[in-house]
Amino acid sequence: MMLLQILTGLWRALLLLPDAQLPFNFEMKKEQEKYIMIIHNAEERIKVDEITINGDSLFIKLPVYDSQFRLIVSGASMEGDWINYSRKEVPVIHFKAEHNNNNRFITSSSPTLNVDGRWESWMDVTDKDSSLAIGVFKQQGSNVTGTFLSSGGDHRFLDGAVSGDTLWMSTFDGSHCWLYRAVKNGDEMQGTFWSGNHYQSSWHAKRNNNIALPDPESIAKVAFPLSFTFPDADSNLVSITDKRFEGKALIIQVMGTWCPNCLDETAFLSDFYKNNKEKGIEIIGLDFEKTTDFVRISSNIKRLSARYNTQYPILYAGSVGREEVMKKIPGLENFKSYPTTIYINKQGKVVNVYSGFSGPATGAEYQKFVSGFNTTIEKMVK
């Protein structure tokens, strides 16, 4: 039987959401007779290499995240479902794609809205817990890239366009499929935000070059010395009091394999650890999962560790939830976001607790984080 041939080059995909379609682009390549998918979000490139073929069916497992495409390929088109196994409700979204189309959003008129700059944005404006975010966008002609900054981290690499007075942006990373629409309203924008097919809310924004978020180092704190013991992916118990960590500076990463900002931080910490572990620094990842099935949890941790070549332990600490985190890590107070990172010097004193993570999509904010991180590390190792 002849093996299915997939057209290489650029594709345009659509995820069909309630009342909207979320577009993204990907590239199909062949490396050593094996198909590779590269997902595009602005300058971000996500390599997907867990791909299997069965007849005319294509099965694509997304990296790290517990999700998969199940597709039928017919020449220049693909169609099927994206299944997000980490979700208990409405985990399936219909998918279709066409070959040789490098558009993301298709614009029908020249832009009359310019979003270039910094925007004070309020997400979930129909909710009493409406939250502040800062939109940071770059516009060239009709094309827009950027992200939203928030106290919990950024909204990833957003890629979009302006058509007339309407802004569209989207991102897809294998776990999160986020779509944003906004219409010019005087000096402001008002719009809708979709998170997959399970959540939809309104948002609005206005220009504000001086808007700032709360200091990420002032949100959470550790009230007394940490003490914990958790299993790794092979069920071996690891304790913060183990001999390996004695007299070492410690970075404790509270994270989840489902969390994109945590993965950005994991990539950063993995590179840092490989280059600096000889300085007497250790890192422990504390993973909080959306499932209680340890077989799946173990697989999630191992896939993440393999993806980023983490050489430090990542332990299963418990289920997702703020109260659960503070229960499992006594001493950690006012936990707000994944990731939260605790820095402990060689004398066992907490020198910093940092909430959230501003990843590469944030540009200047990411460089600001890196600078502050290096300053904190200098204090820890002295």
Side-chain angles (χ1 to χ4, degrees):
M1 183 175 66
M2 185 175 177
L3 190 65
L4 176 67
Q5 298 296 306
I6 303 171
L7 295 175
T8 58
L10 285 171
W11 290 70
R12 179 177 188 258
L14 292 174
L15 289 166
L16 307 186
L17 310 181
D19 307 319
Q21 297 179 340
L22 185 154
F24 68 94
N25 298 103
F26 65 90
E27 181 184 1
M28 294 300 298
K29 300 172 65 177
K30 218 170 185 183
E31 294 182 359
Q32 299 178 345
E33 299 305 311
K34 183 179 179 181
Y35 285 107
I36 304 292
M37 180 188 205
I38 309 292
I39 297 173
H40 294 200
N41 294 300
E43 61 264 40
E44 179 184 48
R45 299 293 181 266
I46 302 173
K47 184 177 181 179
V48 185
D49 54 12
E50 297 179 69
I51 296 177
T52 57
I53 294 172
N54 185 0
D56 63 350
S57 298
L58 185 63
F59 301 91
I60 304 173
K61 193 167 186 178
L62 280 302
V64 181
Y65 300 122
D66 193 8
S67 72
Q68 181 185 50
F69 288 115
R70 302 171 65 92
L71 310 173
I72 299 295
V73 180
S74 178
S77 66
M78 301 180 187
E79 189 160 359
D81 293 315
W82 173 57
I83 307 169
N84 187 352
Y85 296 104
S86 67
R87 293 206 57 79
K88 294 180 179 179
E89 299 178 355
V90 288
V92 180
I93 298 178
H94 195 65
F95 168 100
K96 59 183 181 180
E98 62 177 11
H99 180 253
N100 202 26
N101 188 338
N102 62 358
N103 293 309
R104 195 176 187 103
F105 292 94
I106 299 173
T107 58
S108 58
S109 58
S110 299
T112 59
L113 169 64
N114 188 328
V115 300
D116 201 86
R118 196 172 178 92
W119 293 75
E120 176 184 340
S121 308
W122 292 90
M123 318 303 288
D124 309 319
V125 294
T126 59
D127 192 290
K128 65 181 178 64
D129 295 322
S130 178
S131 56
L132 171 67
I134 300 174
V136 183
F137 309 128
K138 294 180 181 179
Q139 182 172 343
Q140 293 184 330
S142 296
N143 298 322
V144 177
T145 57
T147 193
F148 288 98
L149 311 173
S150 76
S151 292
D154 61 88
H155 287 212
R156 313 293 294 143
F157 289 86
L158 302 183
D159 200 335
V162 174
S163 180
D165 65 352
T166 304
L167 167 69
W168 289 95
M169 296 183 296
S170 68
T171 190
F172 176 77
D173 63 8
S175 176
H176 299 79
C177 53
W178 290 340
L179 176 68
Y180 308 76
R181 175 183 179 271
V183 177
K184 182 179 179 180
N185 182 16
D187 295 329
E188 301 186 2
M189 294 190 289
Q190 293 183 329
T192 305
F193 165 65
W194 291 262
S195 177
N197 59 359
H198 65 278
Y199 183 78
Q200 182 176 329
S201 72
S202 56
W203 66 284
H204 73 257
K206 62 181 180 180
R207 287 191 183 277
N208 186 344
N209 291 327
N210 299 316
I211 189 67
L213 294 169
D215 180 0
E217 298 180 357
S218 67
I219 298 171
K221 66 177 182 178
V222 172
F224 49 83
L226 298 182
S227 178
F228 57 76
T229 302
F230 297 115
D232 65 14
D234 293 315
S235 298
N236 301 309
L237 293 178
V238 178
S239 172
I240 192 174
T241 59
D242 288 348
K243 190 171 182 62
R244 169 179 178 177
F245 307 118
E246 285 183 6
K248 302 286 185 68
L250 279 175
I251 299 173
I252 310 298
Q253 179 197 25
V254 182
M255 46 80 72
T257 61
W258 46 270
C259 161
N261 298 124
C262 300
L263 268 58
D264 281 345
E265 185 184 49
T266 299
F268 174 83
L269 291 177
S270 294
D271 286 342
F272 167 79
Y273 184 68
K274 279 175 262 183
N275 295 320
N276 294 275
K277 57 185 176 182
E278 290 81 8
K279 296 179 181 179
I281 299 173
E282 290 291 341
I283 301 175
I284 305 173
L286 300 183
D287 175 37
F288 289 82
E289 287 285 335
K290 293 184 176 182
T291 177
T292 57
D293 180 352
F294 191 77
V295 173
R296 286 176 61 189
I297 292 165
S298 175
S299 174
N300 291 346
I301 292 174
K302 288 181 177 180
R303 291 179 71 223
L304 180 145
S305 295
R307 185 79 178 184
Y308 297 106
N309 189 24
T310 57
Q311 297 174 12
Y312 57 85
I314 297 178
L315 314 178
Y316 170 56
S319 300
V320 169
R322 293 177 182 175
E323 296 301 323
E324 173 80 353
V325 170
M326 290 184 285
K327 176 182 176 182
K328 290 298 184 71
I329 312 176
L332 176 60
E333 298 181 352
N334 203 35
F335 172 81
K336 293 291 186 181
S337 62
Y338 301 90
T340 290
T341 311
I342 304 164
Y343 299 85
I344 305 172
N345 67 16
K346 291 183 177 182
Q347 290 72 44
K349 180 181 178 181
V350 174
V351 298
N352 194 13
V353 182
Y354 195 99
S355 297
F357 184 78
S358 295
T362 67
E365 291 296 323
Y366 176 67
Q367 296 304 322
K368 180 180 176 182
F369 161 80
V370 172
S371 177
F373 175 89
N374 291 333
T375 299
T376 299
I377 294 299
E378 288 177 9
K379 293 178 182 178
M380 290 169 62
V381 300
K382 284 184 178 179

